[in-house]
């Protein structure tokens, strides 16, 4: 526990103390070769010294985002500001610990070097670059600082450490975030630098759902679009992209999205028209047209363009996912499943992070909670609490039992989905939300080969191969006096022509035998000499998962239908009946087959000119019953999609159990504390249930679960849908602002004071864009929040006024 008497800590800044001075810098140098895209957050390493202490030097570091890295002077100023954070132990005695030196590390994602500024106090400032091999180089090119500045701002904008599932589910502890663009002048300077580096943006990589980075889909373009979208200022994004569109037509995709978001659809359509003329096969422009037509209800036209996008880029996930999305909107769920099954899935690459050695200790500052009234001087516990330095996270004040989670909730597989798999799972949830689980299973069985069908077909194929082998053995072991009716060829003279051409039943038997792979000579003539008796189409199906003769385009998914009266006759049989038919001919007793043929009168002197030939065939095969092999028109389901069905089943099972438990709780006649114990859950469990309901598309239940998280049970939570269906707009605004005020107050205790971008600013700016600045601000005033909380929340409204967020004019 770090107490207030410890003079080595920085006030209001998280610190990780090293076991050996300088080991954090060494670890970052060794990790440089693993950085693939934008790189990890900036690293600030400082060394404190005290000549009178036994341990004269202490090394510590912290992570930071949003620092101006446009020059060595700005980074040196940040390091110098840390010296003022080492406060005195008491007002009468100075702090013996001083800041001796500091090193700021910022990764340049364009040139793939780590730019470092080292400050010595007293002394000078040294700046240099470290390449991926760990070699130091002097910075002589000013363009390197411009690239570093753009890289640092993009990392701060695209960081998701504050999101519910941020940083791949492992939030970075003690990350300090500052406003990357605090003023309009800094914003203009960033846009100028971003425009100069725009044509190198594809080198930074792109989002995990896109395989190949382009001019309209990379971290630079995505960062600029995210920054202006969340603040409702897409008109600024359009100004930024207009000049770039003249040089490359692919920029039309991002420019048209900016126009549409700014309600300038006419200019958006003109931009799309010009872009598609200059680059007809750009899937990005086609996808923007698809979204625009979908918003207008032109689903048929959107489906055609989505197929064109798939044809233009069949290896991208986003094109197939957009096609599946259109099919879901049209209600063609079978085609949607087929399109989803065809999506190319990519292995998710985790975000860049540096491997650090375990720290000796961690200092996480925490402000003391402001009491409602001054504590009594006789209260010894309150006085002791005031003397101690608050240390740790904002969750330390909670009951430790509130973090306990049921093992079944911890093992939810949906929590580990990332990248393309998470996006595909969202599409699957949309289908379930429209038609339900049972209907989804019916559509699944219609388009994909099920396990029972595959087992039946394999049994039939194996039986056919066995019967063909038996027929071959019987022909080889048959005496010369017996007649082989099925093995004789048309050129043979052993039988009369009536046997070869006049008897249709024998011809049908011969065709049946050929179909089962028993007549090798006939198979060789047709090019189907398979040892297992499979045809080319069946062999291609089992090898590749599709019929070799299936003519399917990117979006039509046409399948080859099987003809024949016998197939349609058996199409409605159950699995047991099909299995019974498939195994009906095994183990049959020897039987006789009597064949009557016409011949000229022979020496035996037949009266009617006919002869009856009786042949005994061992283990004669009964008449073959055709089974409708309907799965030949189906596809094999990809393993990852089959796993997503199981993931969805687990989510729906837990959600249904929770809903049933809630309904039983509310309908119970018990009152008092016993009723609350009937439905007691920890705060962590309520949070998981809220995320589960939100993931499945039930926001009203998510509101109930997340509201109950603060009290530990549903007794203090509002009924379902109250936040969404309150009395008028003011009630909804008031509920949203109440949650924002509570959250900003809690975060202030952990010294989290950045304004934008953040989840809170995104929510408040969305309210302002929907209801107007004046109305939202008046509701906040009417809530009579505490003065301290009011000062914290009003900085978001001040930011909206300075940057002219959408809705601030009314």
């Amino acid at each position: 526990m770090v107490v207030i008497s410890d003079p080595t800590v920085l006030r209001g800044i998280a610190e990780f103390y090293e076991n050996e001075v300088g080991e954090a810098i060494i670890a970052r140098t060794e990790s440089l070769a693993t950085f693939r895209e934008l790189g990890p957050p900036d690293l600030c390493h400082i060394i404190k010294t005290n000549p009178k202490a036994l341990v004269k030097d202490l090394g510590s570091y912290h992570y930071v985002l949003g620092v101006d890295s446009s020059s060595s002077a700005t980074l040196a100023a940040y390091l110098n500001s840390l010296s003022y954070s080492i406060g005195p132990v008491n007002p009468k005695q100075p702090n013996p610990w001083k800041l001796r030196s500091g090193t700021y590390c910022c990764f340049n994602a364009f040139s793939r070097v780590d730019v470092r500024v080292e400050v010595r106090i007293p002394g000078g400032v040294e700046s240099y670059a470290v390449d991926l091999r760990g070699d130091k180089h002097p910075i002589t090119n000013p363009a390197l600082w411009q690239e570093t500045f753009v890289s640092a701002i993009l990392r701060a904008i695209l960081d998701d450490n504050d999101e519910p599932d941020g940083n791949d589910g492992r939030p970075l502890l003690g990350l300090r975030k500052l406003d990357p663009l605090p003023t309009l002048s800094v914003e203009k300077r960033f846009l100028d630098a971003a425009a100069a580096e725009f044509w190198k943006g594809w080198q930074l990589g792109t989002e995990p759902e896109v395989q190949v980075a382009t001019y309209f889909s990379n971290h630079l373009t995505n960062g600029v679009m995210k920054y202006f979208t969340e603040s409702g200022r897409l008109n600024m994004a359009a100004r930024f992209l207009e000049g770039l569109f003249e040089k490359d037509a692919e920029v039309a995709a991002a420019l048209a999205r900016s126009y549409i978001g700014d309600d300038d659809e006419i200019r958006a359509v003109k931009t799309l028209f010009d872009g598609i003329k200059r680059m007809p096969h750009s899937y990005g422009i086609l996808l923007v047209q698809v979204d625009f037509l979908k918003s207008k209800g032109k689903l048929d036209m959107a489906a055609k363009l989505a197929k064109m996008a798939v044809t233009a880029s069949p290896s991208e996930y986003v094109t197939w996912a957009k096609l599946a999305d259109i099919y879901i909107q049209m209600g063609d769920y079978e085609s949607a499943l087929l399109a989803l099954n065809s999506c190319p899935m990519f292995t998710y690459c985790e975000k860049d992070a540096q491997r650090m050695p375990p720290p000796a200790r961690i200092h996480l500052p925490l402000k003391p909670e402001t009491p409602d009234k001054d504590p009594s001087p006789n209260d010894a516990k309150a006085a002791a609490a005031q003397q101690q330095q608050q240390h740790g996270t904002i969750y330390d004040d909670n009951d430790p039992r509130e973090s306990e989670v049921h093992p079944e909730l911890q093992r939810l597989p949906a929590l580990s989905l990332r990248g393309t798999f998470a996006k595909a799972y969202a599409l699957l949830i949309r289908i379930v939300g429209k038609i339900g689980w049972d209907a989804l299973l019916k559509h699944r069985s219609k388009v994909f080969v099920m396990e029972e069908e595959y087992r039946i077909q394999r049994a039939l194929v194996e039986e056919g191969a066995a019967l063909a082998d038996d027929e071959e053995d019987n022909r080889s072991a048959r005496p010369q006096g017996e007649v082989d009716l099925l093995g004789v060829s048309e050129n043979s003279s052993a039988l009369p022509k009536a046997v070869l051409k006049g008897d249709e039943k024998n011809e049908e038997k011969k065709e049946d035998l050929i179909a089962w792979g028993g007549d090798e000579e006939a198979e060789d003539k047709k090019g189907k000499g398979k040892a297992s008796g499979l045809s080319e189409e069946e062999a291609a199906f089992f090898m590749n998962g599709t019929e070799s003769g299936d003519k399917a385009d990117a979006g039509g998914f046409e399948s080859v239908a099987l003809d024949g009266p016998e197939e349609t006759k058996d199409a409605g049989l159950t699995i047991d009946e099909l299995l019974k038919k498939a195994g009906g001919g095994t183990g049959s007793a020897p039987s006789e087959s009597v064949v009557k043929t016409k011949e000229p009168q022979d020496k035996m002197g037949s009266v009617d000119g006919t002869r009856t030939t009786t042949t005994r065939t061992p283990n004669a095969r009964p008449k073959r019953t055709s089974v409708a092999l309907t799965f030949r028109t189906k596809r094999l389901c990809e393993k990852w999609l089959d796993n997503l069905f199981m993931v969805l089943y687990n989510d729906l099972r837990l959600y249904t159990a929770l809903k049933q438990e809630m309904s039983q709780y509310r309908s119970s006649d018990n009152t008092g504390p016993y009723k609350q114990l009937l439905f007691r859950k920890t705060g962590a469990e309520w949070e998981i249930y809220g995320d589960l309901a939100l993931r499945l598309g039930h926001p009203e239940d998510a509101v109930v679960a997340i509201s109950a998280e603060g009290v530990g049970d549903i007794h203090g939570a509002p009924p379902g849908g109250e936040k969404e269906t309150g009395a008028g707009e003011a009630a909804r605004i008031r509920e949203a602002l109440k949650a924002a005020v509570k959250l900003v107050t809690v975060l202030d205790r952990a010294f989290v004071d950045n304004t934008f971008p953040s989840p809170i600013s995104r929510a408040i700016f969305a309210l302002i864009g929907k209801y107007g600045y004046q109305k939202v601000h008046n509701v906040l005033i009417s809530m009579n929040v505490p003065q301290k909380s009011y000062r914290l929340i009003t900085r978001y409204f001040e930011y909206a006024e300075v940057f002219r967020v959408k809705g601030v004019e009314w």
Side-chain angles (χ1 to χ4, degrees):
M1 174 67 69
V2 179
V3 296
I4 195 171
S5 60
D6 188 354
T8 64
V9 300
L10 298 177
R11 291 178 300 179
I13 300 176
E15 283 186 284
F16 300 85
Y17 286 87
E18 298 175 311
N19 295 285
E20 297 181 4
V21 177
E23 64 180 4
I25 299 295
I26 298 175
R28 183 177 177 94
T29 303
E30 294 174 350
S31 302
L32 288 177
T34 63
F35 300 162
R36 295 178 301 272
E37 295 183 344
L38 283 176
D42 300 345
L43 176 68
C44 182
H45 177 267
I46 59 175
I47 298 177
K48 306 167 192 172
T49 183
N50 183 5
K52 299 180 181 180
L54 294 177
V55 180
K56 298 183 182 299
D57 294 334
L58 282 179
S60 65
Y61 62 92
H62 64 274
Y63 305 102
V64 62
L65 286 174
V67 177
D68 186 1
S69 58
S70 58
S71 66
S72 60
T74 56
L75 296 181
Y78 176 78
L79 290 172
N80 186 51
S81 66
L82 298 179
S83 61
Y84 300 100
S85 299
I86 304 179
V89 179
N90 58 67
K92 297 182 179 180
Q93 295 181 357
N95 195 331
W97 288 90
K98 303 295 181 182
L99 189 63
R100 193 188 76 180
S101 64
T103 304
Y104 193 96
C105 306
C106 183
F107 186 69
N108 184 335
F110 293 94
S111 299
R112 318 302 299 171
V113 295
D114 199 32
V115 176
R116 298 180 181 179
V117 174
E118 187 173 347
V119 176
R120 296 178 181 86
I121 303 175
V125 177
E126 180 185 5
S127 59
Y128 54 90
V130 179
D131 60 17
L132 301 183
R133 296 186 300 270
D135 300 332
K136 295 175 59 175
H137 303 277
I139 300 177
T140 58
N141 188 1
L144 198 64
W145 285 110
Q146 180 174 270
E147 295 175 352
T148 307
F149 174 60
V150 175
S151 301
I153 298 299
L154 291 178
R155 275 194 296 270
I157 293 175
L158 296 175
D159 178 73
D160 61 348
N161 197 70
D162 296 334
E163 303 297 332
D165 194 24
N167 201 26
D168 299 331
R170 298 184 298 272
L172 189 60
L173 188 64
L175 176 61
R176 187 185 189 191
K177 299 185 68 174
L178 307 176
D179 292 341
L181 304 175
T183 61
L184 291 173
S185 60
V186 178
E187 179 185 282
K188 185 179 183 303
R189 187 154 50 93
F190 164 70
L191 293 178
D192 294 339
E197 305 294 336
F198 183 83
W199 306 114
K200 296 188 292 185
W202 60 271
Q203 302 176 10
L204 305 179
T206 184
E207 41 193 24
E209 295 82 20
V210 180
Q211 188 175 19
V212 180
T214 59
Y215 288 140
F216 62 86
S217 179
N218 57 70
H219 284 315
L220 195 155
T221 306
N222 296 338
V224 172
M225 293 295 294
K226 179 177 183 286
Y227 175 77
F228 288 114
T229 300
E230 292 185 354
S231 60
R233 303 164 58 213
L234 283 173
N235 58 329
M236 297 296 297
R239 294 179 188 176
F240 172 76
L241 296 169
E242 282 173 352
L244 303 172
F245 171 61
E246 302 297 332
K247 298 181 180 179
D248 193 279
E250 279 191 330
V251 185
L255 180 58
R257 290 188 189 275
S258 302
Y259 284 140
I260 294 173
D262 195 35
D263 297 330
D264 195 351
E265 295 180 350
I266 296 178
R267 298 183 68 180
V269 172
K270 291 181 179 179
T271 302
L272 291 173
F273 178 71
D274 294 339
I276 206 67
K277 280 198 309 181
R278 293 164 55 185
M279 189 169 289
H281 301 293
S282 174
Y283 75 90
I285 301 177
L286 292 173
L287 292 182
V288 176
Q289 295 185 54
V290 170
D291 291 335
F292 180 73
L293 291 173
K294 186 177 69 172
S295 65
K296 301 300 180 182
K298 306 292 184 180
L299 296 180
D300 294 336
M301 299 174 64
K304 294 179 181 179
L305 288 176
K307 295 177 185 178
M308 293 175 61
V310 169
T311 305
S313 184
S315 62
E316 288 289 350
Y317 166 82
V318 290
T319 56
W320 288 96
K322 185 64 66 177
L323 181 61
D325 181 30
I326 295 300
Y327 279 134
I328 294 173
Q329 292 279 4
M330 298 173 65
D332 190 356
Y333 302 111
E334 294 180 9
S335 296
L337 289 175
L338 288 173
L340 190 60
N341 190 59
S342 302
C343 289
M345 309 303 287
F346 313 134
T347 302
Y348 181 75
C349 296
E350 296 183 352
K351 293 188 174 183
D352 294 334
Q354 61 186 76
R355 298 183 297 270
M356 301 295 287
R361 58 172 177 161
I362 302 176
H363 166 60
L364 298 175
L366 192 66
K367 293 180 182 179
E369 188 174 6
T370 304
D372 297 335
K373 59 180 180 179
D374 295 335
S376 173
N378 298 328
D379 193 348
K381 293 183 179 180
Q386 283 186 348
Q387 291 178 359
Q388 278 193 341
Q389 165 76 13
Q390 295 291 326
H391 172 76
T393 66
I394 56 179
Y395 305 103
D396 292 343
D397 294 338
N398 299 335
D399 190 343
R401 294 175 296 178
E402 290 298 316
S403 300
E404 297 177 357
V405 180
H406 192 276
E408 190 174 11
L409 295 177
Q410 287 181 332
R411 293 192 299 266
L412 276 178
L415 300 177
S416 61
L417 294 177
R418 298 285 185 273
T420 53
F421 299 97
K423 299 291 184 180
Y425 185 62
L427 291 175
L428 206 58
I429 289 176
R430 286 188 53 200
I431 299 177
V432 171
K434 288 180 175 292
I435 62 177
W437 175 251
D438 294 335
L440 174 62
L441 294 183
K442 291 180 181 178
H443 288 296
R444 178 194 181 194
S445 62
K446 289 181 181 179
V447 297
F448 297 133
V449 177
M450 308 307 292
E451 183 178 358
E452 289 295 330
E453 294 175 328
Y454 182 81
R455 188 165 59 87
I456 292 172
Q457 170 62 10
R458 293 301 302 169
L460 292 176
V461 170
E462 292 173 1
E463 180 197 5
L467 292 177
D469 294 340
D470 292 342
E471 291 292 342
E472 183 66 24
D473 295 340
N474 293 337
R475 283 200 300 269
S476 61
R478 188 176 295 129
Q480 296 181 357
E482 294 187 359
V483 181
D484 187 1
L485 294 180
L486 299 179
V488 70
S489 63
E490 294 185 5
N491 298 328
S492 175
S493 58
L495 289 180
K497 295 181 179 180
V499 177
L500 298 174
K501 298 181 179 180
D503 197 339
E504 297 180 355
K505 294 183 179 180
N506 291 341
E507 192 69 25
E508 291 179 1
K509 291 183 179 180
K510 185 173 180 179
E511 293 294 335
D512 286 348
L513 188 58
I514 292 174
W516 288 106
D519 195 337
E520 296 180 357
E521 181 181 356
E523 287 182 349
D524 292 339
K525 291 181 179 180
K526 295 185 178 182
K528 299 179 181 179
K530 309 294 181 183
S532 61
L534 287 174
S535 65
E536 282 185 348
E537 291 82 359
E538 292 169 332
F541 178 84
F542 287 115
M543 293 298 294
N544 303 325
T546 56
E547 244 183 307
S548 62
D550 189 5
K551 299 177 180 179
D553 59 1
F557 303 105
E558 300 175 1
S559 51
V560 180
L562 299 178
D563 299 327
E566 292 182 351
E567 294 175 351
T568 56
K569 177 176 67 178
D570 296 334
L573 296 179
T574 62
I575 297 296
D576 295 335
E577 292 173 347
L578 292 176
L579 287 172
K580 186 176 180 181
K581 282 194 172 188
T586 58
S588 301
S591 59
E592 293 184 354
S593 58
V594 178
V595 181
K596 183 177 290 187
T597 60
K598 291 188 177 182
E599 277 188 349
Q601 188 173 358
D602 58 3
K603 296 180 181 180
M604 300 297 293
S606 298
V607 178
D608 53 356
T610 61
R611 181 182 64 177
T612 302
T613 303
T614 302
T615 60
R616 182 178 299 274
T617 305
N619 296 328
R621 180 170 60 88
K623 185 177 180 180
R624 170 176 166 272
T625 303
S626 175
V627 179
L629 302 180
T630 57
F631 77 96
R632 291 184 62 184
T633 64
K634 298 181 180 181
R635 306 289 178 90
L636 286 180
C637 183
E638 295 288 344
K639 184 65 176 178
W640 62 265
L641 183 56
D642 193 55
N643 293 336
L644 288 186
F645 278 103
M646 297 304 300
V647 172
L648 181 58
Y649 170 76
N650 289 330
D651 279 356
L652 292 174
R653 178 176 58 84
L654 287 177
Y655 174 74
T656 305
L658 176 65
K659 288 286 290 183
Q660 184 178 5
E661 194 174 356
M662 291 172 62
S663 62
Q664 290 178 355
Y665 168 81
R666 284 178 172 146
S667 61
S668 175
D669 295 334
N670 297 324
T671 57
Y674 176 72
K675 183 175 181 179
Q676 298 182 23
L677 291 176
L678 290 178
F679 203 55
R680 171 69 185 180
K681 294 188 182 300
T682 65
E685 290 176 340
W686 278 121
E687 184 178 359
I688 293 177
Y689 277 124
D691 293 339
L692 173 63
L694 200 60
R695 185 166 61 245
L696 294 177
H698 302 283
E700 63 282 352
D701 295 328
V703 168
V704 176
I706 295 176
S707 300
E709 180 184 354
V711 293
D713 57 62
I714 201 174
H715 182 73
E722 179 176 324
K723 288 190 177 182
E724 298 296 331
T725 59
E729 297 177 352
R732 292 191 289 270
I733 298 173
R734 186 178 295 107
E735 292 293 333
L737 289 177
K738 185 187 300 183
V741 168
K742 183 176 181 180
L743 183 58
V744 75
T745 305
V746 172
L747 292 178
D748 180 67
R749 293 190 58 206
F751 295 93
V752 178
D753 53 359
N754 67 303
T755 303
F756 182 80
S758 66
I760 301 178
S761 62
R762 184 170 61 244
I764 293 178
F765 294 165
L767 287 175
I768 294 176
K770 185 176 182 180
Y771 301 108
Y773 177 89
Q774 293 297 332
K775 186 169 188 176
V776 176
H777 192 260
N778 291 338
V779 172
L780 176 65
I781 296 175
S782 65
M783 293 170 58
N784 294 324
V785 297
Q787 189 66 25
K788 181 180 179 180
S789 300
Y790 181 79
R791 288 197 305 268
L792 294 174
I793 197 68
T794 50
R795 72 169 184 260
Y796 296 96
F797 290 88
E798 295 172 358
Y799 183 95
E801 285 186 307
V802 172
F803 286 85
R804 310 305 297 172
V805 171
K806 182 181 179 181
V808 75
E809 296 86 1
W810 47 285

